[in-house]
Amino acid sequence: MTAAQALTRPASLSEYRERLQQMRAPIVTESIQRGIAYQPQPNDLFITPSDKYSATWLQQIVHSLRTQGDMDFDDISQVIPWLEMAHRLGLNIHAPQRGGFQAFKSHLSWQSIPKGGRYIVAFRDPKDVLVSMYHFLNGWHWQAGVVSISEFASHSMRLDGWSYWDHLVSWWEQRHNRQVLLLTYEGMKADLPTAVQTIAH
C-alpha cells in the first residue's frame, strides 16, 4: 500500500477488499492464533455473537453483573478482551480480570472457539445485521456514499472469509449444549430484565 493510499479511504467495495488483504499483517495472524490456542478454565465465559449481533451490549451486561456495576474503564474491551485480537491490541488474555472469572469477546464459530468454558451467543435478524454493518463501515472503511447498500448487500453475508450463515449454523447446532446460552437481539430488546436474569443465572 502506498503512502497516498494510507491517507485516503477506498473508493469502491473492490478497493476496500483489496486493501484488507494488503493490511493483513503477521501480527493479526499471530493474534488470532494466540486467541484460538487459549486454554479455557471451566468458569471462563466467551461472549461470541458475530459482528453487529450485540457483542458490546452483552459485554456490558456480563461485566456489570460480575462486578456489581463497575464502570472504571475507558473501553469495555479493556475489561473483557477480544480474544482473537487481544495480542494485536497489546492486551494479555491471561491477566486476571475483575469480577471473579475471565470473560472474553469473540466472533469465532463453534468450530474455532477454544473449548472448555461457557458461551453466550445472541442471534439477530440478518437484515438488521446487514444495515448495521453497512452504516458502521460507510464513511470509515470506505469513502461515504461510494458503496451503495444494495452493492454491499450482494457481498456482505460472505465478506472476506466471514460468513453470517456459517457462524449462525455452528452455534445453532449447540443449542442443547448446557454450556451454551443462545439469545436473540430482538428478545433482549423486548424484555431486557428477563434477558439479564437469564444471563446472570
Side-chain angles (χ1 to χ4, degrees), residues 9-44:
R9 292 180 174 88
S12 68
L13 191 58
S14 60
E15 185 182 350
Y16 164 67
R17 298 177 77 163
E18 182 181 330
R19 294 252 196 115
L20 278 182
Q21 293 302 319
Q22 292 173 353
M23 292 188 306
R24 295 206 188 280
I27 193 171
V28 173
T29 300
E30 181 183 357
S31 190
I32 293 170
Q33 290 172 344
R34 284 178 180 236
I36 290 173
Y38 177 78
Q39 297 295 312
Q41 298 300 309
N43 66 341
D44 284 357

Side-chain angles (χ1 to χ4, degrees), residues 12-184:
S12 68
L13 191 58
S14 60
E15 185 182 350
Y16 164 67
R17 298 177 77 163
E18 182 181 330
R19 294 252 196 115
L20 278 182
Q21 293 302 319
Q22 292 173 353
M23 292 188 306
R24 295 206 188 280
I27 193 171
V28 173
T29 300
E30 181 183 357
S31 190
I32 293 170
Q33 290 172 344
R34 284 178 180 236
I36 290 173
Y38 177 78
Q39 297 295 312
Q41 298 300 309
N43 66 341
D44 284 357
L45 180 64
F46 297 88
I47 299 162
T48 62
S50 193
D51 297 300
K52 300 302 160 196
Y53 281 38
S54 61
T56 303
W57 194 7
L58 285 168
Q59 284 174 276
Q60 291 282 170
I61 291 170
V62 166
H63 187 66
S64 293
L65 285 169
R66 73 176 178 174
T67 61
Q68 289 75 55
D70 169 50
M71 294 294 289
D72 185 21
F73 55 86
D74 293 325
D75 185 277
I76 191 64
S77 292
Q78 294 174 337
V79 291
I80 298 186
W82 184 357
L83 182 69
E84 56 268 34
M85 287 294 110
H87 177 67
R88 180 188 181 198
L89 299 173
L91 299 172
N92 179 4
I93 58 178
H94 301 285
Q97 297 177 19
R98 301 198 291 270
F101 63 89
Q102 304 287 90
F104 303 95
K105 163 190 167 179
S106 176
H107 292 320
L108 295 173
S109 67
W110 170 256
Q111 286 84 354
S112 299
I113 197 87
K115 307 300 189 295
R118 301 169 296 161
Y119 308 86
I120 297 177
V121 183
F123 298 141
R124 189 178 183 185
D125 184 310
K127 176 183 67 69
D128 294 335
V129 171
L130 183 143
V131 171
S132 179
M133 180 66 80
Y134 174 78
H135 289 294
F136 175 74
L137 298 173
N138 187 39
W140 181 27
H141 285 231
W142 58 70
Q143 296 174 35
V146 300
V147 176
S148 70
I149 195 166
S150 59
E151 180 186 5
F152 180 69
S154 68
H155 297 279
S156 67
M157 289 309 185
R158 188 177 291 279
L159 184 65
D160 304 301
W162 169 82
S163 169
Y164 169 96
W165 309 110
D166 291 346
H167 183 275
L168 185 153
V169 170
S170 80
W171 286 102
W172 179 249
E173 290 174 345
Q174 299 303 312
R175 62 192 179 278
H176 302 303
N177 184 334
R178 292 174 59 85
Q179 300 306 112
V180 175
L181 172 62
L182 300 184
L183 302 168
T184 66

